[in-house]
Amino acid sequence: MSVEKIIEKSKQSEASLIENPIKPSGKKLFLESYGCAMNFSDSEIIVSILSKEGFTTTKDFNEADVIFMNTCAIRDGAEMRVRKRLTDFKKVKKTNPDLIIGVLGCMAERLKSKLLEEEKLVDIVVGPDSYRSLPELIEIAESGQKAVNVLLSKEETYADIAPVRLDSNGVTAFISITRGCDNMCSFCVVPFTRGRERSRDPETILKEAQELYGDGYREVTLLGQNVDSYLWTGGGLKKENLSTEELNNATSFAQLLEKVAMVNPNLRVRFSTSHPKDMNDDVLHMVNKHENICNYIHLPVQSGNSRILGMMNRGYTREWYMERIEAIRRIIPGCAISTDSITGFCTETEEEHKDTLSLMEWVRYNFAYMYSYSERPKTLAERKYKDDVSEEVKKRRLQEIVALQQIHSGERTRAGLGKIHRVLAERISKKSSNELSGRNSQNTTVVFPKGNYKPGDYVNVLATDCTNATLIGVVVV
Ligand code: SAM
Ligand code: SF4
Ligand code: F3S
């Protein structure tokens, strides 16, 4: 079947998603997700689409009719993990030749039909904007053919599809507000795997938040690769093409945040990821204005050196980034800050690496995700620069930033001792069934005796003890 036909059919199935009651097919789907929160959020869309086709999910791949891996391509290691996992499924396919194996998401989009040549047992390859065509692609695979749809879209936001919450604690949920990314950070594969940035209609975001609150959820995290560039202009129009009047009528990220915060004062709002070049004071003032918008900002720096930031095409300097940190501290006192960092980017010298360490010393982040640079095919860096820092040096630099971050994380956690934290209880603690675990506004995990409380309750906890990343306390009324 041609791609055009698949799209046509999937448009029809889009309509039938709404009209038709669930058809019981008795088929079982095993879905494994990798990568960032956006990918996990997409998996909830995938399950929603297939549950309308009568699929149920299973946690045991041995009993599955369809195995899907929703993959990540951000670093080479992420793809290696998927390839390794595929070997586990090879054994199942031997005993069940009708089993359908699909690779979905960013790795599928990056490799396209090449993946079918490289991994013979894969039947379906689907990119992140083509999930509506999954029922048709499964049909094609069932007829014994290979099926691929990796078309990227400028409009698709899956806004009308109600996600099926997976592995949910019933308290916290993700809501996607944008898809794709229009930045071209030179190290990053995301613009190639997820396409152009598009914002989702705020009405559908609000509806999702309201429904979640009605279902007992008490926290939503608004997701986008760069939430600060969210802009709803009434559909499709880009900022550059708007008149001043149209721009005034558009919904910005700060305005969206306020709308979501006003769904209910008992619904906590978080968001990720903020981009240093776009995070403006309006957003910070909005966080400060609403008690239920959490005092936590994830602001990836990537490097503490301006020359490297320039080569990374991040659109800011060390000084600009520091000013943004000062703005957070000024406007939202007590706000927790976390970051992403990459060591050993092309041509990074020892001095430049030390700039990352000194910036970390200056910010003293609450938390950080740290990586060593992994060259990705087709990216700007791969085409323009030499990946000339040895693996050994990359890893040693990584160890240095990890060690420093450990110190800062411990310091930040200990600063919470002796204070009362408003905690949203999320789950029974992993260590003891007599304890609940949740987070405070600053995103620090807090563990406390369960008593008569349950997930979804807000509890005031006096922190009396801690580990490096967790506060332990007692309930105060
Ligand atoms: N959009 C977010 C931003 O701009 O910060 C994050 C995007 S990415 C999904 C998450 C993190 O992976 C990045 O912040 C970066 O630190 C890391 N990353 C991306 N490409 C990488 C690469 N080629 N090698 C190592 N780390 C990488
Ligand atoms: Fe990648 Fe940069 Fe976009 Fe983040 S902002 S997804 S790092 S291109
Ligand atoms: Fe996320 Fe990995 Fe794709 S980090 S956007 S799943 S490349």
Side-chain angles (χ1 to χ4, degrees):
M1 196 185 304
S2 71
V3 169
E4 287 72 24
K5 265 209 173 129
I6 293 173
I7 295 168
E8 195 41 49
K9 270 198 93 181
S10 71
K11 279 195 184 138
Q12 291 161 10
S13 77
E14 186 184 325
S16 69
L17 280 185
I18 303 156
E19 287 159 16
N20 289 347
I22 295 171
K23 317 169 224 164
S25 73
K27 287 188 198 145
K28 291 201 169 97
L29 166 73
F30 175 83
L31 173 64
E32 205 159 69
S33 309
Y34 296 78
C36 63
M38 301 229 48
N39 234 29
F40 282 77
S41 174
D42 278 3
S43 288
E44 303 187 330
I45 301 284
I46 292 164
V47 172
S48 176
I49 290 169
L50 291 183
S51 67
K52 297 285 190 304
E53 297 295 309
F55 276 82
T56 53
T57 52
T58 172
K59 286 194 184 305
D60 177 6
F61 62 74
N62 290 299
E63 62 166 37
D65 299 286
V66 174
I67 293 180
F68 279 167
M69 299 174 83
N70 190 9
T71 60
C72 172
I74 202 83
R75 284 166 290 276
D76 189 46
E79 292 194 2
M80 299 284 278
R81 216 167 303 136
V82 171
R83 290 188 195 270
K84 190 160 173 285
R85 184 65 165 147
L86 278 170
T87 59
D88 293 336
F89 302 145
K90 212 174 236 166
K91 295 165 209 150
V92 196
K93 189 129 180 170
K94 267 196 187 129
T95 55
N96 174 14
D98 292 336
L99 173 69
I100 290 177
I101 297 182
V103 175
L104 285 63
C106 291
M107 185 178 170
E109 188 64 50
R110 192 181 82 71
L111 290 165
K112 305 185 170 55
S113 51
K114 213 168 124 208
L115 193 56
L116 293 175
E117 292 155 31
E118 292 175 6
E119 302 288 348
K120 297 278 184 251
L121 80 161
V122 173
D123 305 293
I124 298 180
V125 175
V126 196
D129 286 347
S130 304
Y131 297 144
R132 288 185 200 267
S133 67
L134 279 171
E136 286 71 35
L137 296 172
I138 292 174
E139 243 176 67
I140 296 171
E142 280 171 346
S143 76
Q145 294 165 265
K146 302 274 181 183
V148 181
N149 189 356
V150 286
L151 279 185
L152 286 172
S153 156
K154 284 189 184 149
E155 288 94 30
E156 181 61 273
T157 59
Y158 300 110
D160 58 313
I161 296 181
V164 170
R165 305 291 164 187
L166 296 169
D167 296 325
S168 171
N169 54 13
V171 179
T172 60
F174 293 130
I175 302 182
S176 282
I177 64 163
T178 65
R179 291 184 75 79
C181 184
D182 277 356
N183 295 316
M184 271 286 171
C185 301
S186 63
F187 52 79
C188 186
V189 80
V190 172
F192 303 93
T193 63
R194 295 206 155 240
R196 299 305 301 265
E197 182 188 277
R198 63 226 97 122
S199 296
R200 180 176 165 191
D201 183 340
E203 289 309 316
T204 68
I205 296 170
L206 283 178
K207 187 166 168 270
E208 198 171 323
Q210 282 153 355
E211 283 172 2
L212 283 164
Y213 187 79
D215 290 343
Y217 285 79
R218 291 295 173 263
E219 182 184 295
V220 292
T221 302
L222 308 181
L223 291 180
Q225 292 298 350
N226 175 355
V227 288
D228 302 292
S229 65
Y230 175 89
L231 191 74
W232 177 253
T233 56
L237 288 174
K238 282 270 149 201
K239 213 184 207 163
E240 312 77 82
N241 306 329
L242 294 178
S243 66
T244 320
E245 198 194 336
E246 283 169 325
L247 250 173
N248 288 341
N249 290 332
T251 306
S252 68
F253 178 57
Q255 290 164 326
L256 176 74
L257 255 186
E258 175 146 67
K259 283 175 196 274
V260 180
M262 287 170 76
V263 164
N264 195 293
N266 282 325
L267 182 70
R268 270 188 175 177
V269 186
R270 297 186 189 272
F271 52 89
S272 187
T273 301
S274 301
H275 198 300
K277 83 177 160 62
D278 294 319
M279 187 194 66
N280 59 36
D281 288 0
D282 288 354
V283 170
L284 302 180
H285 285 297
M286 202 55 82
V287 175
N288 192 46
K289 181 175 167 189
H290 292 274
E291 186 68 36
N292 58 330
I293 306 181
C294 290
N295 288 355
Y296 169 63
I297 293 188
H298 183 58
L299 195 70
V301 67
Q302 313 300 357
S303 164
N305 176 270
S306 295
R307 187 186 75 87
I308 293 292
L309 286 170
M311 281 178 68
M312 286 177 163
N313 203 24
R314 285 289 287 178
Y316 55 87
T317 59
R318 174 186 174 100
E319 290 68 33
W320 171 279
Y321 184 87
M322 289 169 84
E323 192 282 323
R324 290 291 76 207
I325 295 287
E326 280 171 342
I328 298 174
R329 302 259 189 253
R330 184 173 65 243
I331 299 170
I332 321 165
C335 186
I337 304 174
S338 62
T339 197
D340 291 351
S341 231
I342 300 176
T343 60
F345 185 66
C346 313
T347 76
E348 185 190 64
T349 65
E350 212 50 41
E351 282 310 305
E352 289 166 339
H353 162 63
K354 284 192 181 132
D355 284 343
T356 302
L357 290 167
S358 73
L359 187 78
M360 290 172 70
E361 288 276 15
W362 183 80
V363 181
R364 305 189 100 75
Y365 292 105
N366 292 70
F367 185 80
Y369 297 94
M370 293 157 283
Y371 313 98
S372 62
Y373 174 58
S374 163
E375 186 177 77
R376 307 308 290 133
K378 289 199 186 140
T379 55
L380 228 63
E382 190 248 0
R383 286 182 278 133
K384 267 173 79 176
Y385 309 126
K386 201 159 168 240
D387 181 14
D388 58 357
V389 179
S390 71
E391 277 312 304
E392 198 189 337
V393 171
K394 280 180 189 173
K395 292 282 174 290
R396 194 254 302 147
R397 289 180 187 168
L398 179 61
Q399 279 165 11
E400 284 176 13
I401 64 168
V402 169
L404 185 60
Q405 184 52 46
Q406 282 276 87
I407 297 170
H408 296 160
S409 293
E411 205 177 271
R412 291 283 180 200
T413 311
R414 279 192 300 280
L417 284 175
K419 293 183 183 146
I420 295 172
H421 302 261
R422 187 165 154 79
V423 179
L424 172 60
E426 288 174 37
R427 52 175 62 82
I428 302 290
S429 150
K430 277 185 204 128
K431 291 213 175 117
S432 159
S433 58
N434 295 323
E435 288 176 331
L436 281 171
S437 151
R439 278 170 297 157
N440 63 8
S441 173
Q442 286 78 7
N443 209 35
T444 306
T445 301
V446 183
V447 174
F448 56 95
K450 184 168 165 284
N452 291 323
Y453 297 102
K454 58 182 186 318
D457 288 344
Y458 284 100
V459 187
N460 290 327
V461 178
L462 171 68
T464 52
D465 198 0
C466 71
T467 65
N468 211 43
T470 306
L471 289 167
I472 301 154
V474 291
V475 178
V476 287
V477 190

